[in-house]
């Protein structure tokens, strides 16, 4: 009897120690993704992967029913700690001893279940290295971003970052802040001082946040500034990362998914861009009506790979009509004059960079109806759309893109872009603040109606092609000037 009693206490203490050690690793991993636990012995024997998998909360049984950050989706180690404390108490006090047998039976069943998950479901099938990021190994379900071994596509079998990774990013930030940001702001090149508008702020460096890509470009400080603006809780990115820095498009859009997990519903994106529309001048602010994403058209889209269906719309085939939210654009157009901002409107083109455009490329961009050209924004807007975040975006025209006749244009350089940005950004403070404040009264987006979209798009394409055909000669055309097309009647 005594022997059994001691054995039960020893078992409970062992279980408790394992649960506590798991909690310790979980916490270490949160702050330092490179932390190597003692139990990470080899690629195949690793407790970290199990601890960070979706089976580590509610034994994975509540996945798909509850949000991963729901308080009801309790980590297994907490359940373990509670279980083993109760088990020890019953053993020591000898009260409610009739519970010991059912408790032991449940514990054995759970152990068998976890053994099955670890060995048959989470077995290693893929260890890819991509752009410096070691991919997780997994045979996860497609809804969570992984395919099973049998169905994996050869090009991109897993995502660069998993749902759990985004959750870890959000958990890290959540722990540091007392506000609940509903608005995200991205400061483009030279526009970093917009973050000074954020009051009662705390800063979080990108390099602190697990999985967060770090800015490598001058003028992109690389930190979140979180606080309040215009009566709204905001998370502002002082600097972004770009594709040309060598980041995968899923990495450079990771902060958008982080924002989504924090509860952000509205996004203000800014960038520095070269003016292609000849009626623009450096210092103009252009409200983006739509974009042409040359990386996307070339098959570089942040949504490529297993669909992350647990985010917002989570749609596999995402509609992009009205991705620059019409109502938010209307509000921006209404507010701009009040703040002395003469707002241009136009189409933004994303090119890969980092080289600026050749004269021939600018001529081409002008012909196809581009008003400003830059190296960012489109992937962020795509992911924001996927997350169901309503977005409004602006290009600060920092330079006129090279004219076909010019040999070299001093203003088209990164230092000139930064200089102009910091010179004029202050002028937009009141406008941006009131714009953010206006989100208070806005609801969530309506999904676009597919048929209406398609018909209007076809009509607008036909009209554009007609007008280009009629107007074009060998000169650069300025048929898409905002002055010509400043109404909100189009379908953009
Ligand atoms: O981050 P954004 O898009 O504002 O930066 C633009 C594009 C290049 O990164 C840089 C060129 O000067 O400005
Ligand atoms: N691609 C591109 N990006 C820019 N960012 C600021 N100016 C420019 C430009 O002229 N071209």
């Amino acid at each position: 009897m005594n022997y059994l009693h001691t054995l039960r206490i020893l078992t409970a203490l062992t279980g408790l120690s394992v649960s506590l050690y798991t909690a310790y690793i979980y916490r270490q991993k949160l702050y330092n993704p490179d932390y190597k636990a003692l139990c990470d012995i080899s690629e195949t024997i690793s407790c970290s992967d199990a601890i960070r998998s979706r089976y580590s909360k509610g034994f994975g049984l509540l996945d798909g029913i509850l949000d991963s950050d729901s308080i009801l989706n309790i980590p297994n180690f907490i359940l373990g700690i509670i279980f083993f404390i109760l088990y020890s108490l019953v053993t020591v006090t000898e009260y409610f001893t009739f519970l010991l047998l059912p408790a032991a039976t449940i514990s054995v069943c759970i152990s068998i279940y976890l053994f099955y998950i670890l060995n048959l479901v989470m077995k290693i099938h893929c260890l890819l290295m991509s752009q410096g990021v070691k991919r997780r190994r997994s045979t996860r379900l497609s809804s969570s971003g992984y395919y099973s071994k049998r169905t994996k596509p050869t090009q991109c079998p897993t995502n660069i970052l998993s749902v759990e990774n985004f959750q870890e990013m959000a958990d890290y930030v959540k722990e540091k802040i007392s506000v609940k940001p509903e608005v995200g702001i991205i400061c483009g090149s030279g526009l970093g001082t917009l973050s000074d508008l954020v009051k009662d702020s705390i800063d979080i460096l990108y390099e602190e946040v697990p999985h967060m890509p770090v800015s490598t470009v001058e003028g992109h400080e690389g930190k979140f500034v979180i606080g309040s603006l215009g009566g709204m809780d905001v998370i502002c990115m002082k600097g972004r990362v770009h594709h040309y820095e060598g980041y995968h498009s899923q990495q450079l859009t990771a902060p958008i998914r982080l924002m989504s997990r924090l509860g952000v519903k509205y996004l203000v994106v800014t960038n520095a861009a070269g003016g292609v529309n000849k009626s623009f001048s450096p210092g103009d602010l252009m409200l983006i009506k739509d974009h042409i994403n040359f990386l996307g058209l070339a098959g570089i889209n942040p949504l490529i790979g297993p669909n992350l269906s647990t985010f917002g719309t989570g749609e596999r085939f995402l509609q992009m009509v009205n991705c620059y939210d019409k109502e938010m654009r209307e509000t921006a157009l209404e507010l701009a004059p009040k703040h002395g901002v003469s707002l241009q409107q136009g189409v933004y083109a994303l090119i890969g960079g980092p080289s600026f455009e050749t004269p021939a490329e600018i001529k081409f961009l002008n012909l196809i109806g581009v008003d400003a050209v830059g190296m960012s924004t489109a992937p962020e807007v795509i992911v924001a759309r996927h997350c169901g975040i309503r977005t409004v975006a602006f290009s600060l025209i920092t330079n006129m893109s090279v004219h076909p006749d010019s040999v070299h244009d001093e203003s088209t350089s990164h230092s000139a872009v930064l200089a102009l940005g910091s010179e004029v950004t202050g002028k937009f403070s009141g406008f941006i603040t009131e714009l953010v404040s206006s989100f208070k009264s806005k609801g969530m987006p309506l999904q676009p109606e597919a048929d209406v979209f398609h018909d209007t798009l076809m009509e607008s394409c036909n009209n554009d092609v007609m007008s280009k055909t009629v107007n074009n000669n060998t000169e650069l055309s300025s048929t898409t000037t905002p002055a010509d097309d400043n109404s909100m009647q189009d379908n953009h």
Side-chain angles (χ1 to χ4, degrees), residues 73-103:
N73 208 353
I74 302 169
N76 299 351
F77 62 80
I78 295 186
L79 297 171
I81 292 170
I82 297 171
F83 176 86
F84 287 113
I85 288 178
L86 291 178
Y87 193 89
S88 314
L89 283 177
V90 172
T91 309
V92 173
T93 61
E94 304 215 337
Y95 285 125
F96 306 113
T97 43
F98 65 92
L99 288 175
L100 286 175
L101 185 61

Side-chain angles (χ1 to χ4, degrees), residues 272-274 351 356-357 373-375 398-399 401 412 417:
I351 59 118
F356 289 110
E357 300 69 36
V373 57
M375 305 174 193
T398 48
N399 57 288
S401 284
T412 304
V417 165

Side-chain angles (χ1 to χ4, degrees), residues 187-191 217 220 240 242 244 270-273 348 356 374-377 398 413-415 417-418:
C187 305
S189 292
L191 289 144
V217 189
H220 290 262
R240 58 153 65 84
H242 307 82
Y244 64 74
T270 66
N271 61 54
Y348 173 87
F356 289 110
M375 305 174 193
S376 66
T377 301
T398 48
S413 71
H414 190 55
S415 49
V417 165
L418 295 181

Side-chain angles (χ1 to χ4, degrees), residues 333-368:
L333 286 171
E334 262 166 50
L335 294 177
K338 191 173 145 193
H339 294 276
V341 175
S342 95
L343 204 52
Q344 304 279 12
Q345 286 190 80
V347 172
Y348 173 87
L350 161 69
I351 59 118
S355 49
F356 289 110
E357 300 69 36
T358 64
E361 284 163 352
I362 292 298
K363 184 171 182 178
F364 164 70
L365 292 174
N366 185 281
L367 285 173
I368 62 169

Side-chain angles (χ1 to χ4, degrees), residues 82-126:
I82 297 171
F83 176 86
F84 287 113
I85 288 178
L86 291 178
Y87 193 89
S88 314
L89 283 177
V90 172
T91 309
V92 173
T93 61
E94 304 215 337
Y95 285 125
F96 306 113
T97 43
F98 65 92
L99 288 175
L100 286 175
L101 185 61
T105 312
I106 292 172
S107 143
V108 168
C109 292
I110 290 176
S111 301
I112 293 170
Y113 166 74
L114 289 179
F115 181 84
Y116 159 78
I117 295 294
L118 284 174
N119 289 285
L120 296 174
V121 181
M122 289 186 67
K123 63 190 173 190
I124 299 161
H125 78 282
C126 174

Side-chain angles (χ1 to χ4, degrees), residues 239-298:
R240 58 153 65 84
V241 298
H242 307 82
H243 187 262
Y244 64 74
E245 291 172 69
Y247 285 113
H248 190 282
S249 53
Q250 287 180 6
Q251 290 176 295
L252 56 96
T253 52
I256 308 296
R257 298 212 180 270
L258 155 68
M259 288 182 188
S260 168
R261 288 277 142 160
L262 289 179
V264 164
K265 298 187 179 65
Y266 312 97
L267 182 66
V268 181
V269 184
T270 66
N271 61 54
V276 176
N277 186 317
K278 284 181 10 183
S279 74
F280 290 177
S281 312
D284 282 353
L285 192 65
M286 182 188 92
L287 174 65
I288 302 181
K289 290 196 300 186
D290 204 345
H291 71 224
I292 296 178
N293 176 5
F294 280 99
L295 292 186
L297 296 177

